[in-house]
Amino acid sequence: MRAFIYGTLKRGHRAHDRLAGQRFLREAATAPHYRLVDAGGFPGLVSGTHSVQGELWELTQDRLRELDDYEGVAEGIYARARIEMSDGSAASAYLYLRPASGLRDCGARWTLEEERADPPQE
């Protein structure tokens, strides 16, 4: 399944090893219906007006189930959903479900600098 990756799972980021053995397709962008917020050392994809920048990957169903666990789908932190891409196609992505009010707006791109400046809360 095609998945849009926009944060700590991207190449060069701290959780990228979770995509080992999966196929990178290309850099990609969403349709201009989203934005990123800093949810405490990791980004959350929420509704907005940006075309969020990230990567498109081909992931196995087994890996998607593993990522559902990692992303806290059962706990209601994220939901895996189909989103619209800038080219009109669709891909799966993890939408942040917790309140975004008061979280720092990161706009259209999650960077390594943001990740390093705001280590994850354990």
Side-chain angles (χ1 to χ4, degrees):
M1 175 174 282
R2 285 176 10 132
F4 178 69
I5 304 298
Y6 57 84
T8 62
L9 293 168
K10 290 189 306 185
R11 295 171 299 157
H13 289 253
R14 74 170 173 264
H16 177 66
D17 61 330
R18 294 184 177 276
L19 297 183
Q22 304 304 293
R23 188 165 65 105
F24 171 77
L25 299 174
R26 61 182 167 83
E27 292 188 8
T30 68
H33 308 306
Y34 309 97
R35 68 185 173 98
L36 296 175
V37 294
D38 185 336
F42 55 92
L45 184 67
V46 298
S47 293
T49 59
H50 294 291
S51 181
V52 173
Q53 307 297 306
E55 301 172 348
L56 202 58
W57 285 76
E58 185 68 35
L59 305 179
T60 64
Q61 289 296 324
D62 287 342
R63 186 58 50 94
L64 281 169
R65 284 188 289 275
E66 291 170 11
L67 290 177
D68 286 351
D69 289 340
Y70 175 71
E71 298 289 0
V73 169
E75 293 82 17
I77 300 170
Y78 287 91
R80 182 166 29 110
R82 290 181 60 80
I83 65 165
E84 184 181 355
M85 303 303 295
S86 63
D87 64 3
S89 68
S92 287
Y94 288 96
L95 301 177
Y96 188 65
L97 297 179
R98 296 209 168 145
S101 177
L103 298 180
R104 184 174 63 83
D105 191 313
C106 299
R109 182 182 303 267
W110 181 255
T111 66
L112 279 171
E113 289 75 28
E114 289 168 314
E115 205 165 296
R116 290 183 189 124
D118 195 6
Q121 300 171 356
E122 302 285 333

